Amino acid sequence: MPFDVITYLPEIISVTVIAIFMSISPGADFVMVTKNSLFHDRKAGLYSALGISLAIWMHVTYSIAGLAIVIANSPLLFSLIKYLGGAYLVYMGWKTFQSGSDIRIEQGDDKPTLSNFSAFKTGVITNALNPKTTIFFLSIFTQVITPDTPILIQLLYGAIISIAHLLWFSLVAICVTHPLSLTLFNRYKVTIERVIGVVLIGFGLKVAFSTF
């Protein structure tokens, strides 16, 4: 049935504002994009950002299909998402912490390679198994959106959230691979490696044991 977009303008504005704040709030996605950008290259960070943006559509899909309500009412299913996400972050954090690489990264130098697909896959998995994102979609699609909200409007909300994540994490990848950032990275590489590893492990443990 035809609908007036103006009718949904307050919802669109609300979802846009929430999506922006949700994107820029510190979390596992931010740490993973930073890690791939610094330890590999800008392209790895951008492909990770693209993976995160695509993973958003997984959350959109199950929310539109009504599975968000199932997840919200199934402690077992939600716990499974939590533990898988937590285990993945702990694994990636430990790998980063004990990597001990002494490679210096300079603009234009050859860097430790990470294939485009691997970087993309890392972004997808990190966001897809991120309970924070799941909670976000549960709140959006069970409170902001009503059963009468047209599918096209729901898809528009999904596009807004996906684009917000893509733009923000692409910006992160670009900023952390700026020559000044790389200079600082080379100076404190071992410390940064271990800090990022600990942060990822911390996020993983928080995800696994949090009651949200």
Side-chain angles (χ1 to χ4, degrees):
M1 294 177 62
F3 56 86
D4 185 1
V5 175
I6 301 299
T7 303
Y8 296 94
L9 190 57
E11 278 187 14
I12 292 172
I13 294 173
S14 297
V15 170
T16 301
V17 171
I18 294 171
I20 291 172
F21 279 101
M22 195 259 184
S23 301
I24 66 178
S25 64
D29 292 339
F30 178 86
V31 178
M32 195 65 72
V33 170
T34 300
K35 169 187 172 296
N36 286 346
S37 300
L38 282 176
F39 298 146
H40 300 286
D41 54 19
R42 178 175 294 178
K43 186 166 68 171
L46 292 174
Y47 270 94
S48 298
L50 183 61
I52 291 170
S53 177
L54 179 66
I56 291 295
W57 285 101
M58 297 182 185
H59 299 287
V60 173
T61 300
Y62 70 64
S63 296
I64 292 178
L67 295 180
I69 297 175
V70 175
I71 294 173
N73 291 281
S74 173
L76 179 61
L77 183 56
F78 187 70
S79 293
L80 179 61
I81 295 173
K82 278 203 313 178
Y83 294 135
L84 285 175
Y88 179 73
L89 292 176
V90 169
Y91 168 72
M92 294 301 293
W94 177 246
K95 281 185 62 178
T96 303
F97 182 85
Q98 54 104 44
S99 62
S101 172
D102 59 358
I103 297 174
R104 287 179 58 83
I105 299 180
E106 306 290 350
Q107 197 76 7
D109 282 356
D110 290 333
K111 302 174 179 65
T113 57
L114 182 68
S115 70
N116 296 340
F117 177 73
S118 293
F120 176 80
K121 180 179 67 175
T122 300
V124 170
I125 295 174
T126 301
N127 186 268
L129 295 179
N130 188 347
K132 186 183 81 169
T133 307
T134 302
I135 289 292
F136 170 71
F137 275 90
L138 291 179
S139 64
I140 289 292
F141 279 81
T142 58
Q143 297 181 35
V144 177
I145 295 172
T146 69
D148 296 326
T149 303
I151 292 295
L152 288 179
I153 292 294
Q154 295 186 48
L155 291 174
L156 174 61
Y157 294 159
I160 290 171
I161 299 167
S162 178
I163 291 171
H165 280 71
L166 178 61
L167 293 178
W168 168 247
F169 289 114
S170 294
L171 179 62
V172 169
I174 291 169
C175 288
V176 300
T177 52
H178 185 277
L180 178 59
S181 300
L182 295 181
T183 299
L184 292 173
F185 173 73
N186 285 326
R187 185 176 302 170
Y188 304 106
K189 184 175 187 301
V190 174
T191 300
I192 292 173
E193 241 173 6
R194 291 178 178 172
V195 167
I196 289 179
V198 168
V199 170
L200 282 172
I201 291 172
F203 272 123
L205 295 175
K206 179 182 177 182
V207 162
F209 295 105
S210 176
T211 58
F212 291 96

